[in-house]
Amino acid sequence: LNCKYTSYFKFSNGSIISANSTGDEIKNACEYADMTATDLGRKMGITQPAISRRLKTGKFTHDELKMIATMIGCEYESKFEFENGVQI
């Protein structure tokens, strides 16, 4: 079976922020929420250079992505969608 992976940040007004990379997804969601990467880093307890590196590499755990979503006021969703309609 073929499948595709999708992930996105979903705001309460129905807006969905998605991108080709995790780092861009986070940056776009922060921008939508009127938050800078520096603000996000501060909330996460990491320095501006550290958050910039993390955004560039896109290396975040699923739990960190959920935490980031909470910090910017939305939900993080991810799923595998199989060609037979099953979603995990």
Side-chain angles (χ1 to χ4, degrees):
L1 284 174
N2 290 325
C3 75
K4 75 175 186 175
Y5 176 77
T6 58
S7 64
Y8 50 88
F9 289 92
K10 184 177 181 181
F11 289 83
S12 60
N13 66 1
S15 294
I16 293 177
I17 307 295
S18 185
N20 290 332
S21 73
T22 302
D24 286 343
E25 219 169 51
I26 294 168
K27 286 185 231 174
N28 293 344
C30 283
E31 185 177 308
Y32 184 85
D34 201 28
M35 180 185 291
T36 67
T38 302
D39 294 335
L40 177 62
R42 190 176 302 116
K43 286 184 174 211
M44 293 179 70
I46 59 178
T47 65
Q48 190 279 326
I51 191 65
S52 291
R53 273 192 308 277
R54 299 279 306 275
L55 289 170
K56 189 173 187 175
T57 64
K59 293 188 179 186
F60 294 87
T61 66
H62 185 75
D63 287 343
E64 287 174 321
L65 292 167
K66 291 276 194 184
M67 178 181 69
I68 289 168
T70 299
M71 290 176 177
I72 62 177
C74 65
E75 296 177 22
Y76 178 77
E77 297 184 15
S78 61
K79 60 187 169 188
F80 290 96
E81 297 178 60
F82 292 86
E83 61 187 10
N84 65 359
V86 172
Q87 296 181 3
I88 300 173

